Amino acid sequence: MKKLVGLGLSCMVAYATTVQAQTFGEDCRAYAKAIYDVAEARDNLDDPSWEKLLELHPILVKTKEREGRGFLYAQMISLRVINKSASPRALMNNSYESCLSSTGLCMLYNQACGPK
């Protein structure tokens, strides 16, 4: 009986980890798409507006609420403070790869950001 309970708990932990990984991957994908649109708007003289981008991409709002650094990154692109000449596709690809590989928890959720 103990083995069955242990096996059941192991399956639940594995399922929860898989669900979290799927959600994390989906959040990284949504964030990368948002960065693409932010860069497109930057290149189109702020069309759509920042407020409209927030409506179109709830991941940006979630990132802001969690105080993730990715929100500030998106704002800086929008304001032309950084990556002024980088293409939207390049920014999207870099954001997605970076999110998945190392900085995603900090960018999106303000977790594992290192010493404060």
Side-chain angles (χ1 to χ4, degrees):
M1 186 62 138
K2 286 182 181 179
K3 286 184 179 181
L4 286 175
V5 171
L7 182 60
L9 289 176
S10 296
C11 289
M12 287 173 40
V13 168
Y15 175 75
T17 302
T18 302
V19 169
Q20 287 173 345
Q22 287 174 342
T23 302
F24 179 67
E26 290 169 1
D27 284 352
C28 285
R29 193 173 301 107
Y31 180 74
K33 288 178 183 177
I35 291 298
Y36 180 89
D37 284 352
V38 167
E40 280 275 300
R42 170 204 68 193
D43 294 347
N44 292 330
L45 303 175
D46 300 319
D47 183 33
S49 68
W50 178 252
E51 292 75 21
K52 183 68 174 172
L53 289 169
L54 293 178
E55 289 175 23
L56 294 170
H57 298 286
I59 189 69
L60 291 175
V61 176
K62 282 175 38 178
T63 302
K64 180 183 179 186
E65 289 170 354
R66 294 176 177 159
E67 299 180 1
R69 295 179 183 175
F71 185 78
L72 180 60
Y73 179 69
Q75 280 186 313
M76 292 174 71
I77 291 169
S78 178
L79 293 170
R80 298 163 187 84
V81 175
I82 59 172
N83 298 323
K84 297 174 194 176
S85 60
S87 75
R89 182 163 299 284
L91 289 172
M92 176 183 72
N93 291 339
N94 290 342
S95 293
Y96 182 69
E97 290 173 13
S98 179
C99 183
L100 286 179
S101 66
S102 61
T103 62
L105 288 175
C106 184
M107 260 183 4
L108 300 176
Y109 311 128
N110 194 23
Q111 296 175 358
C113 293
K116 291 185 178 186

